[in-house]
Amino acid sequence: MSEFNSPSASSGNNNSQASVDFVRHVRKTFEAAYGAPTFIAAAARRSADQPSVVSIAHTTSQRDFASDRKRKVAGHMALAFSDNSATVLAKSPPADASSVVMSQPSPVDSSLVAVLRSASKLERTVEIWHDGALVKSVDVSKAHGDFYGDSTFGSLAWSADGSSIVYAAEKPEYDKAHPETDTMAVQDSGTDGDITDDIVGGVAGIADPRRYEFDGDWGETFNGKRPPALAVFNVSSGAVQILPPPDGVSPGQAQCLADRIVFTGYKHAVRKHGIVYCQNRPTGIYTCYFDGKGVRCLFSGSVRSPRITPSGKGMVFLSTTLGGPHASTSELLYYDIAAESVTTLVPIIDQPLSELQTIGGTQLPAGFVGIYADQLPTEPWMHIADDSAREVLVFSSIWRST
């Protein structure tokens, strides 16, 4: 009996194969475009011995379609600059840094680097590296929850003397109920037979009452994440101290002065509104000592991104109209630490400038539309070789659309 392929069946097979080929082509094109590595962080440092040589550490993000996840890849290169051109002297092979949340070199010794690493939801370590060798690794999984490594709350800063680092992480979770055992601690009220409602922590197998207090997340990219707290890590002992946040404030973006911590405090009521790209929320620039005491609000409004100047005499930060439109124009302010005064470096611009103008001592070019930036870079300062006294701030801002 001979086979017979009807025209409709043959046409259907051809169409199916054409569809498969098209889908494969689309997927291949999509993976080639969307899978390209993107630079997400970089740090450049000039060689002290050879000023023309610059060492650059960089991190890229790339989509891994096979494992359906994003990868972070760390790399390093040395460049020699001459006559407005650069030559690559050395380049390290890429290294998977997907578990690295943040890293930061010490201001005292750049060969000393602090790393926050999160291998999984249950594994979190603080690491200290020296000249590429691991010298300390401390498991902090029980001290607090996940690290915050984003631009809104994320923090990793060394103290001025290099003895401590400050970072942001989820507040510790209060004790849950568990079966009572003979070895459980018993609270001593100090008076035999007294009964009190002032119970702190889990007692006699009962959960800590504070575990059931409503403390919502910040929504959007922070869904399911407990609000942040600042943690101080002692580099020598490896001890971790969680600093209690001020009432009604979630801290982030920590920086270090000589004896104090500076941070952005995001104010909130019982329920928290979304905060990502919402530069019009009520916030403040706060300071406190390294033990969490002496909390003080330096400036209130809708402010963010405090950055200490290289001299340590002041700091700059962004300010946006409180309660105004989202992602509206911002002003750049300078806080003089000794004088405790605020100066406007770049004001809010309502209309593009028709000509070059000097406003508040800052020269602004014609057509300038104002500052449109979500955050300042973590390390925004440029060193001028022949003028070390100058403090040059570098950041990106949206200027019109294409």
Side-chain angles (χ1 to χ4, degrees):
M1 187 175 181
S2 61
E3 294 184 1
F4 173 75
N5 293 325
S6 67
S8 59
S10 176
S11 174
N13 290 336
N14 290 337
N15 288 337
S16 297
Q17 185 60 46
S19 298
V20 170
D21 291 342
F22 175 74
V23 171
R24 285 174 174 166
H25 173 72
V26 170
R27 180 177 178 84
K28 185 176 181 180
T29 304
F30 173 79
E31 290 183 0
Y34 194 60
T38 303
F39 283 95
I40 58 175
R45 298 185 184 279
R46 190 182 300 274
S47 171
D49 301 329
Q50 297 176 287
S52 62
V53 176
V54 175
S55 173
I56 299 176
H58 56 82
T59 305
T60 59
S61 175
Q62 186 171 9
R63 175 68 68 179
D64 182 345
F65 293 98
S67 59
D68 193 24
R69 65 188 180 97
K70 278 188 177 181
R71 287 181 179 270
K72 285 200 298 185
V73 179
H76 184 274
M77 65 174 66
L79 302 178
F81 288 88
S82 177
D83 299 327
N84 296 322
S85 64
T87 303
V88 178
L89 299 178
K91 190 175 182 180
S92 69
D96 192 321
S98 300
S99 62
V100 175
V101 179
M102 298 184 79
S103 63
Q104 184 68 28
S106 166
V108 178
D109 180 1
S110 60
S111 65
L112 205 61
V113 180
V115 174
L116 305 181
R117 189 181 301 276
S118 183
S120 70
K121 282 284 186 180
L122 301 177
E123 297 179 62
R124 291 176 291 276
T125 56
V126 175
E127 300 172 351
I128 305 297
W129 293 73
H130 183 259
D131 278 336
L134 180 65
V135 295
K136 187 181 289 289
S137 179
V138 178
D139 186 341
V140 295
S141 304
K142 294 182 180 180
H144 51 68
D146 277 350
F147 297 117
Y148 273 87
D150 59 282
S151 61
T152 303
F153 294 109
S155 308
L156 179 55
W158 286 78
S159 61
D161 61 2
S163 64
S164 303
I165 62 170
V166 180
Y167 60 90
E170 287 181 300
K171 291 195 294 188
E173 193 170 19
Y174 294 117
D175 293 338
K176 61 182 180 181
H178 50 78
E180 185 177 4
T181 65
D182 293 337
T183 59
M184 289 182 59
V186 178
Q187 281 193 335
D188 184 2
S189 64
T191 305
D192 292 339
D194 281 357
I195 298 177
T196 175
D197 291 330
D198 300 328
I199 296 176
V200 177
V203 177
I206 304 301
D208 189 319
R210 294 171 296 180
R211 183 180 179 88
Y212 303 107
E213 294 178 358
F214 179 78
D215 193 8
D217 58 42
W218 278 97
E220 299 167 330
T221 59
F222 304 116
N223 280 332
K225 212 167 184 182
R226 296 194 299 277
L230 296 182
V232 177
F233 178 86
N234 186 295
V235 175
S236 177
S237 67
V240 179
Q241 180 183 6
I242 307 299
L243 308 185
D247 291 338
V249 171
S250 288
Q253 302 181 339
Q255 299 267 295
C256 293
L257 291 168
D259 61 345
R260 286 175 288 169
I261 300 170
V262 177
F263 61 92
T264 301
Y266 296 85
K267 302 177 182 179
H268 60 83
V270 176
R271 293 188 180 274
K272 303 175 181 70
H273 299 290
I275 198 67
V276 178
Y277 303 124
C278 302
Q279 301 93 344
N280 55 351
R281 302 296 191 209
T283 60
I285 303 296
Y286 292 80
T287 64
C288 69
Y289 295 111
F290 280 85
D291 60 1
K293 298 178 181 178
V295 176
R296 182 183 172 201
C297 183
L298 302 180
F299 195 90
S300 265
S302 188
V303 293
R304 62 195 184 279
S305 293
R307 301 293 185 258
I308 309 298
T309 61
S311 66
K313 295 179 180 179
M315 64 179 163
V316 296
F317 56 93
L318 295 173
S319 176
T320 305
T321 301
L322 179 62
H326 291 239
S328 61
T329 182
S330 300
E331 60 183 337
L332 181 68
L333 303 179
Y334 172 78
Y335 180 82
D336 187 303
I337 295 173
E340 298 187 352
S341 61
V342 175
T343 304
T344 300
L345 299 179
V346 179
I348 288 178
I349 305 296
D350 295 320
Q351 295 290 333
L353 300 181
S354 58
E355 59 184 9
L356 185 147
Q357 296 183 33
T358 299
I359 303 177
T362 303
Q363 191 177 84
L364 304 174
F368 182 63
V369 296
I371 296 175
Y372 288 86
D374 179 42
Q375 307 288 346
L376 294 176
T378 304
E379 294 188 48
W381 302 103
M382 177 181 288
H383 173 72
I384 307 299
D386 57 350
D387 191 356
S388 59
R390 289 183 65 189
E391 297 180 329
V392 180
L393 179 71
V394 180
F395 62 95
S396 62
S397 176
I398 297 173
W399 191 324
R400 302 188 181 280
S401 60
T402 56

